[in-house]
Amino acid sequence: SRPASITALLVLCALPINGFRNEGQMVPFVALLLFLFAEYYVFHGIFLFFNILFYLKLKENRQMTRKTFLEWLVLFVAAVLLNCGGQRCLQVIILPLLVVEVIALFMESGHLRQKLPGGRYLATAYVGSLVLAFLVSCLYGGRGDYAVYLLQPGEAVEKLLLGVPAALLENFGLVGNAKVGSFASLMQLLVWVFLILLGYGLWYVFRKNTESTDRQKDALTILLASVGVTAFIIGITSAEAAHYYFFMAWFAAAVLVAVMVDHMSEGQPVFAGLILTAVALFAVLNLKYTYYEAATTQDNLKEYQEVADYLTEAGIDYGYAEFWDAERICLITDGRVTMGHSYTMASLSGYWWLTSTKWYPPTLPTEMRTAYVVRTEMREAFEQQFPEGEAPILEYENEKLAVYVGDRNYVEL
């Protein structure tokens, strides 16, 4: 219904609260994901919903038409392309769909004792084609080989019970450190209230005598499976338990609240209206709490603008810096200067995340004019990594940044 759809959109506007500070500037979590990590998160969120729609369509219609075949083909190609960008598609879309489909087949067949109609396996074939899309993408050689290891049992249990839940809570904006009685503490407490509402919503939607449709339950199950599979993978491996890996929880929360409002608007209109009003009020409060400060922070790019001006005037096309420094210089020069990322300028090495392999040797020549933008406090550490007399030459410096220029590209991927 329209009120339910509006509520879902408001939930996505209201969540998450908070962000993190970078050089005194508030960076909201949502802004970070939508603009900085856009290819990795926005496309995956959109693609998951298309997959849910198509999967449910195949489960219900159980027919292959020309239109269905074309939709299938488009989604398959999109899956290959997203998988070429990394393994997030496997984690948040393909594996959750595979888990849900295997369990659904097991339940619908009476624990494998009954034969299902042939058309039912169209949905199974589609999920299998997504797995095939991942395997096809593995032939693409443009990804970095980032090593992830399985944890020991004790470490895995601790991470599953502590690290993962903490990251999930932080994903909604719970970070603590707010003085009791302050506006920040009020916002934090309201998130706890919202999480209690989500708990009630899970009981309301999945209870035995529920009014929710099978489509709504199936869609929510897939969204929850996406969060669950992510939690399990992060919990048993050495992958960082970063809050933004659980971004699908926002969509699950939005759909869950929407389904509640959808059914309560008839039987319990007052409660549905209260939910809609509360979410709208929370979204307004979050504008003040998270976004006002982010939007009114004074520009802190003066030193970066000076470096960008020097690089363009000197005709330098390629350089390296640590992640945030590189991003700002690229932004200011509108891409005229390509700034590759290094984990630390004290020990030059390629940055695996959000990075094109085209920015490093062997794709780039080793012998080329290259700039190295270093924080002034890191100058000595940067110079010490080179043999005496081989360090790039310091060509420019301001209060925050030093620019070294050399004829060799030292940053190996």
Side-chain angles (χ1 to χ4, degrees), residues 11-12 15 168 171-172 194 198 223-224 226-227 243 245-255:
V11 169
L12 290 177
L15 291 175
L168 264 168
N171 174 65
F172 285 106
F194 179 75
L198 293 184
L223 285 165
L224 293 171
S226 179
V227 179
H243 62 83
Y245 289 166
F246 298 96
F247 70 107
M248 286 299 181
W250 304 342
F251 297 112
V255 174

Side-chain angles (χ1 to χ4, degrees), residues 76 106 123 195 198 216 233 245 257 262 281 311 330 343 383 399:
F76 176 80
F106 183 74
L195 293 175
L198 293 184
Q216 290 170 337
I233 291 173
Y245 289 166
V257 174
D262 200 33
L281 179 61
L311 292 174
C330 282
Y343 276 111
E383 294 173 359
E399 293 181 4

Side-chain angles (χ1 to χ4, degrees), residues 131-239:
V131 176
L132 177 63
F134 171 73
L135 297 176
V136 170
S137 74
C138 291
L139 301 175
Y140 170 63
R143 285 196 302 236
D145 184 17
Y146 180 74
V148 175
Y149 301 94
L150 290 174
L151 297 179
Q152 295 178 356
E155 294 175 322
V157 170
E158 181 181 357
K159 196 173 181 185
L160 282 168
L161 294 180
L162 296 177
V164 168
L168 264 168
L169 292 176
E170 188 180 355
N171 174 65
F172 285 106
L174 289 170
V175 293
N177 297 325
K179 183 181 178 182
V180 175
S182 65
F183 179 55
S185 69
L186 171 65
M187 293 297 293
Q188 299 275 299
L189 289 172
L190 288 176
V191 175
W192 282 111
V193 173
F194 179 75
L195 293 175
I196 293 171
L197 175 66
L198 293 184
Y200 172 74
L202 288 173
W203 173 83
Y204 181 85
V205 172
F206 290 101
R207 61 187 173 167
K208 191 171 183 179
N209 298 319
T210 182
E211 299 172 349
S212 306
T213 66
D214 289 339
R215 281 178 65 85
Q216 290 170 337
K217 286 183 180 179
D218 287 345
L220 271 169
T221 299
I222 295 169
L223 285 165
L224 293 171
S226 179
V227 179
V229 168
T230 298
F232 180 74
I233 291 173
I234 290 175
I236 67 170
T237 67
S238 58

Side-chain angles (χ1 to χ4, degrees), residues 51-178:
N51 274 274
I52 291 173
L53 287 168
F54 190 67
Y55 171 75
L56 295 180
K57 173 184 175 179
L58 291 177
K59 276 187 70 175
E60 294 164 0
N61 296 343
R62 301 182 180 183
Q63 294 178 353
M64 176 63 79
T65 63
R66 180 179 295 180
K67 180 184 177 185
T68 301
F69 174 77
L70 289 175
E71 291 169 346
W72 190 325
L73 182 62
V74 169
L75 290 172
F76 176 80
V77 172
V80 172
L81 294 174
L82 280 181
N83 277 298
C84 284
Q87 297 194 3
R88 190 74 70 243
C89 184
L90 178 71
Q91 174 185 312
V92 302
I93 299 173
I94 299 175
L95 287 180
L97 275 171
L98 182 61
V99 169
V100 168
E101 177 62 1
V102 169
I103 295 174
L105 289 175
F106 183 74
M107 300 296 292
E108 291 173 25
S109 63
H111 301 180
L112 305 181
R113 289 193 295 265
Q114 301 170 10
K115 187 177 181 181
L116 297 175
R120 171 61 184 83
Y121 293 103
L122 269 177
T124 308
Y126 174 66
V127 175
S129 71
L130 292 179
V131 176
L132 177 63
F134 171 73
L135 297 176
V136 170
S137 74
C138 291
L139 301 175
Y140 170 63
R143 285 196 302 236
D145 184 17
Y146 180 74
V148 175
Y149 301 94
L150 290 174
L151 297 179
Q152 295 178 356
E155 294 175 322
V157 170
E158 181 181 357
K159 196 173 181 185
L160 282 168
L161 294 180
L162 296 177
V164 168
L168 264 168
L169 292 176
E170 188 180 355
N171 174 65
F172 285 106
L174 289 170
V175 293
N177 297 325

Side-chain angles (χ1 to χ4, degrees), residues 384-402:
Q384 285 179 349
Q385 67 185 298
F386 300 98
E388 188 171 346
E390 294 186 18
I393 300 172
L394 178 63
E395 297 279 2
Y396 177 83
E397 186 176 12
N398 58 28
E399 293 181 4
K400 182 181 290 186
L401 303 167

